[in-house]
Amino acid sequence: MNTFIYMVRHGDSPKEGNERTRGLTQKGLLDAERISAILKEEEIDAVISSPYLRSMLTVEKAGHQIGQEVAVVEDLKERIFSAGDDRISDQELVPLLEKSFSEPDFALKGGESNDECQERAINALKELLNAYRGKKVVVGTHGAIMTLMMGYYDSRFGLEFLHRTSKPDMYRMEFKGQEFVGVQRLWE
């Protein structure tokens, strides 16, 4: 029996504030309701999330629908772009992402590179695939780390893919054991 990982990029969140504690905007909260409705039809077994509040809030209701709290996995947090805890502005982030995807070992002082982030995230994902073999698991996540996890298995998921994603967004990845089978977008 195959394992399904539902990558759920968090909904719209405020543009300022602490990376860990920024929540969702009103639009983000409404979209989280739509996410939970889609996931209800998928008959999921578990809900895991990044420790960042906006990710947890995006998948929280899906967990409640199956009688579970969201399990937090620290290594599923967003890529650490710099030493500070505040959000990097879009003006700073776009060139940083471009350089990071062209030079995967590039990192700002106090931050991590795409290579480091991908290794951290893939180790966490492989643990989930072992722990939830044959199950349907929701992973509340973020744009960059989701792209790096998906890109590990399929090179089509790179910077251009990241730029085309929305907040929220949702992809169902299928695995046979640890082997990647395919992916389908569920968010329209």
PDB file of all heavy atoms in Angstrom, residues 12 73 93 146:
ATOM      1  N   ASP A  12      -2.279  32.836   3.387  1.00  0.00           N
ATOM      2  CA  ASP A  12      -1.803  34.215   3.441  1.00  0.00           C
ATOM      3  C   ASP A  12      -1.566  34.637   4.882  1.00  0.00           C
ATOM      4  O   ASP A  12      -2.397  34.396   5.761  1.00  0.00           O
ATOM      5  CB  ASP A  12      -2.845  35.126   2.767  1.00  0.00           C
ATOM      6  CG  ASP A  12      -2.329  36.524   2.586  1.00  0.00           C
ATOM      7  OD1 ASP A  12      -1.265  36.680   1.961  1.00  0.00           O
ATOM      8  OD2 ASP A  12      -2.998  37.465   3.067  1.00  0.00           O
ATOM      9  N   VAL A  73       6.851  19.048  13.837  1.00  0.00           N
ATOM     10  CA  VAL A  73       8.191  18.534  13.562  1.00  0.00           C
ATOM     11  C   VAL A  73       9.084  19.738  13.268  1.00  0.00           C
ATOM     12  O   VAL A  73       8.915  20.428  12.256  1.00  0.00           O
ATOM     13  CB  VAL A  73       8.183  17.540  12.373  1.00  0.00           C
ATOM     14  CG1 VAL A  73       9.602  17.128  12.004  1.00  0.00           C
ATOM     15  CG2 VAL A  73       7.336  16.320  12.701  1.00  0.00           C
ATOM     16  N   LEU A  93      13.943  39.057  -0.568  1.00  0.00           N
ATOM     17  CA  LEU A  93      13.803  37.616  -0.729  1.00  0.00           C
ATOM     18  C   LEU A  93      13.973  37.153  -2.172  1.00  0.00           C
ATOM     19  O   LEU A  93      14.617  36.129  -2.428  1.00  0.00           O
ATOM     20  CB  LEU A  93      12.443  37.154  -0.184  1.00  0.00           C
ATOM     21  CG  LEU A  93      12.208  35.654  -0.145  1.00  0.00           C
ATOM     22  CD1 LEU A  93      13.250  34.955   0.715  1.00  0.00           C
ATOM     23  CD2 LEU A  93      10.803  35.365   0.364  1.00  0.00           C
ATOM     24  N   MET A 146       9.019  23.419   0.856  1.00  0.00           N
ATOM     25  CA  MET A 146       8.186  22.505   0.079  1.00  0.00           C
ATOM     26  C   MET A 146       8.820  22.289  -1.297  1.00  0.00           C
ATOM     27  O   MET A 146       8.922  21.150  -1.774  1.00  0.00           O
ATOM     28  CB  MET A 146       6.769  23.059  -0.076  1.00  0.00           C
ATOM     29  CG  MET A 146       5.854  22.189  -0.927  1.00  0.00           C
ATOM     30  SD  MET A 146       4.189  22.893  -1.118  1.00  0.00           S
ATOM     31  CE  MET A 146       4.494  24.127  -2.402  1.00  0.00           C
TER      32      MET A 146
END
